[in-house]
């Protein structure tokens, strides 16, 4: 298992959430990355945030989203970011391999109690103007969010428990 950098950017290139993770492996859903308890993340140049529970992240190969599955007792079960297709870059001796994508604001969230909602629609509308999202990006983001609401809500595909063995690996000490 190798360490990688997970880097979300905003449209136009500004740094968004970023942190280290551990590459766990791949399956039919995509590439799985662990962020164990104690992972330190930053939003842009903001202060560090330490995550108290394990997270396993899924980066599909050809889809406009990324997913985070949270260990208990976190109140969020599944958090899916609508993004551009994740891109991988191999590291060299001096730097880590990296997965990067553009966060397009919309988030599909399933809480531990089963509540499901689409978050940040206001931010998405604002950024369409402020950051100049092209019409095709807006359409793709909206289509993806609608598909994800159905898939996450009905536990289809990777949202039906595929994360559990990977999350068990992410939640192991050291």
């Amino acid at each position: 298992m190798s360490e990688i950098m997970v880097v979300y950017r905003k449209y136009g290139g500004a740094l968004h959430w970023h942190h280290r993770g551990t590459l766990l492996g791949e399956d039919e859903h995509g590439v799985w990355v662990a962020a164990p308890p104690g992972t330190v993340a930053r939003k842009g140049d903001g202060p560090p945030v330490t995550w108290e529970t394990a997270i396993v992240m899924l980066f599909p190969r050809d889809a406009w989203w990324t997913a985070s599955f949270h260990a208990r007792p976190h109140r969020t079960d599944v958090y899916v970011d609508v993004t551009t297709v994740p891109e991988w870059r191999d590291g060299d001796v001096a730097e880590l391999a990296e997965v990067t994508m553009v966060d397009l604001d919309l988030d599909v969230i399933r809480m531990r109690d089963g509540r499901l909602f689409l978050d940040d629609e206001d931010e998405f509308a604002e950024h369409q103007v402020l950051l100049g999202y092209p019409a095709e990006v807006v359409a793709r983001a909206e289509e993806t969010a609608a598909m994800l609401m159905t898939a996450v809500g009905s536990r289809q595909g990777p949202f039906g428990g595929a994360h559990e063995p990977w999350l068990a690996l992410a939640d192991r000490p050291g």
Side-chain angles (χ1 to χ4, degrees), residues 1-4 21-25 32-34 166 168-170 172-174:
M1 294 187 283
S2 57
E3 196 171 25
I4 66 163
T22 303
L23 184 62
L24 295 175
W32 295 88
V33 172
W166 300 105
L169 293 173
R172 287 193 316 211

Side-chain angles (χ1 to χ4, degrees), residues 3-172:
E3 196 171 25
I4 66 163
M5 283 300 300
V6 176
V7 180
Y8 287 85
R9 295 194 174 275
K10 290 309 245 181
Y11 198 82
L15 187 60
H16 194 44
W17 283 104
H18 54 106
H19 59 86
R20 290 177 183 246
T22 303
L23 184 62
L24 295 175
E26 295 184 55
D27 65 11
E28 68 274 17
H29 303 295
V31 179
W32 295 88
V33 172
T39 294
V40 176
R42 293 180 67 170
K43 187 175 185 178
D45 293 326
V49 176
T50 302
W51 294 338
E52 295 180 17
T53 58
I55 298 169
V56 67
M57 304 179 80
L58 173 59
F59 299 98
R61 290 175 196 84
D62 296 312
W64 281 57
W65 56 267
T66 64
S68 299
F69 301 85
H70 297 262
R72 293 180 183 276
H74 199 282
R75 61 189 179 101
T76 302
D77 184 22
V78 180
Y79 192 107
V80 187
D81 288 284
V82 174
T83 68
T84 57
V85 175
E87 296 179 11
W88 292 86
R89 181 180 57 81
D90 289 333
D92 59 23
V93 175
E95 58 185 40
L96 299 175
E98 177 180 283
V99 61
T100 188
M101 53 261 116
V102 175
D103 181 290
L104 296 171
D105 313 310
L106 297 172
D107 306 304
V108 173
I109 302 169
R110 186 175 71 212
M111 303 303 288
R112 188 80 52 205
D113 64 11
R115 286 179 294 133
L116 177 72
F117 58 95
L118 180 61
D119 199 24
D120 291 335
E121 291 176 279
D122 55 341
E123 187 178 324
F124 180 64
E126 180 182 319
H127 286 168
Q128 288 176 49
V129 175
L130 186 65
L131 299 177
Y133 292 176
E136 57 274 10
V137 169
V138 172
R140 188 65 176 261
E142 291 172 339
E143 291 166 10
T144 299
M147 178 278 298
L148 288 166
M149 286 294 289
T150 299
V152 174
S154 61
R155 300 174 189 263
Q156 297 171 5
F159 309 110
H163 68 284
E164 291 173 7
W166 300 105
L167 186 55
L169 293 173
D171 207 14
R172 287 193 316 211

